[in-house]
Structures are given as structure tokens and as C-alpha cells.
């Protein structure tokens, strides 16, 4: 099992392992109400962002898959995060054992096609290791639903997570 994220290059992006030095950019993104409107419903505090960074690094160490930091290849500018996790969510129906895909981009990168490009690259990598992945999307997050569908995810069912209606997708 590889315990560090491999670097993946696409036409415009580089996906690489999270590092401690990425914290400020990640925290700024996760503290933006526009970013968190459909993910938790509120900006995240510094300690929550620190825990998230450590969780991302730990996923690779413990499970051999996880999240990547996404940067523009040409400029090195921060774009967002994309990857897979095992959160052991308490949700019905359960999907434990299938990596849960996720993506989040800084508002400056919205509408650029970066999410689809990064998710497709991450899926190419994970598809050689798992036969099924899932994703959970807030029912009001139209942009994220479009990314999921462009990347081959099909809606599997409706559910509720922590009192919020969500859509579950699989591929």
C-alpha cells in the first residue's frame, strides 16, 4: 500500500499530497461561506480546518487513498481539493467499504471546468483499485451534481444526513 498521494497531472492541473504548508490556503477556502453553503452549511473554524488537513494526510497513511490538493499547473495557484475518503458515516443506506468521492474548489476557480478535470483524474486513479465509488451531494448543490454526472456518477437514492436531504450517487 502506498502511504502518500501520488502526483497526478492533467492538461491544466496538478493533484498532489497535502502538506502542512497548504494549511493557510485550505483553511481560507473552508472558511468561505460560498464554499460551505452546501457542505456543512457554515464556514469552518481554524481547528476544524487543521483536523481536516490531518485527516487527509492520515487517509493515505491508513488506507492507501485520500484527497489531493489541486493547483493550476502553469501558475501553481491553489484551486481546491479532490479525492476519496472513508468517513464511516452513520447514514441509511450505508455505503461503507466504497470510497466516497468529494471535491471542493475555491470560488475563484468555479465555472472553469477544473472540478470535472480533477475528479476525472482522481477517478482514473481510484478505478484501478476499487470497483465502486460513491458520493454524497446536498440536494441543492446543482453545480456539484453536474460534475458528478459528467464524471459518470448515477443517482442511486435519496437520503438524509444529519437532518439534511442529500443525494447518493455511485459509479
Amino acid at each position: 500500500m502506498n502511504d502518500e498521494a501520488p502526483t497526478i497531472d492533467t492538461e491544466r492541473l496538478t493533484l498532489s499530497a497535502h502538506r502542512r504548508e497548504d494549511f493557510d490556503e485550505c483553511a481560507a477556502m473552508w472558511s468561505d461561506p460560498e464554499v460551505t453553503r452546501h457542505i456543512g452549511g457554515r464556514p469552518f473554524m481554524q481547528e476544524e480546518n487543521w483536523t481536516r488537513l490531518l485527516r487527509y494526510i492520515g487517509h493515505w497513511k491508513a488506507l492507501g487513498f485520500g484527497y489531493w490538493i489541486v493547483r493550476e499547473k502553469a501558475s501553481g495557484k491553489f484551486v481546491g481539493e479532490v479525492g476519496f475518503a472513508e468517513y464511516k458515516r452513520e447514514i441509511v443506506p450505508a455505503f461503507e467499504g466504497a470510497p466516497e468521492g468529494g471535491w471542493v474548489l475555491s470560488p475563484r476557480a468555479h465555472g472553469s471546468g477544473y472540478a470535472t478535470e480533477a475528479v476525472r483524474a482522481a477517478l482514473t486513479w481510484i478505478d484501478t483499485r476499487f470497483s465502486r465509488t460513491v458520493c454524497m451531494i446536498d440536494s441543492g448543490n446543482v453545480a456539484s451534481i453536474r460534475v458528478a454526472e459528467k464524471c459518470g456518477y448515477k443517482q442511486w437514492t435519496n437520503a438524509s444526513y444529519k437532518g439534511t436531504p442529500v443525494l447518493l450517487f455511485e459509479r
Side-chain angles (χ1 to χ4, degrees), residues 5-8 13-19 21-23 25-27 29 53 56 60 66-72 77-83 118:
T7 299
I8 300 173
L13 305 171
T14 297
L15 287 63
S16 60
H18 281 80
R19 299 167 304 131
E21 296 78 17
D22 297 317
F23 176 72
E25 291 170 307
C26 294
M29 179 183 67
L53 178 70
Y56 287 164
W60 288 100
Y67 270 72
W68 288 269
I69 196 99
V70 181
R71 295 188 177 280
E72 290 176 341
K77 287 184 181 177
F78 177 82
V79 170
E81 300 168 333
V82 64

Side-chain angles (χ1 to χ4, degrees), residues 12-13 28-39 70 72 77-81 103-118 141-144 146-147 150:
R12 302 180 295 162
L13 305 171
M29 179 183 67
W30 284 105
S31 299
D32 186 320
E34 185 179 342
V35 170
T36 60
R37 181 169 43 125
H38 295 293
I39 308 170
V70 181
E72 290 176 341
K77 287 184 181 177
F78 177 82
V79 170
E81 300 168 333
W103 48 91
V104 61
L105 270 63
S106 174
R108 74 163 195 82
H110 291 180
S112 64
Y114 283 165
T116 301
E117 186 174 331
N141 192 341
V142 175
S144 197
R146 274 196 309 265
V147 170
K150 284 189 222 176

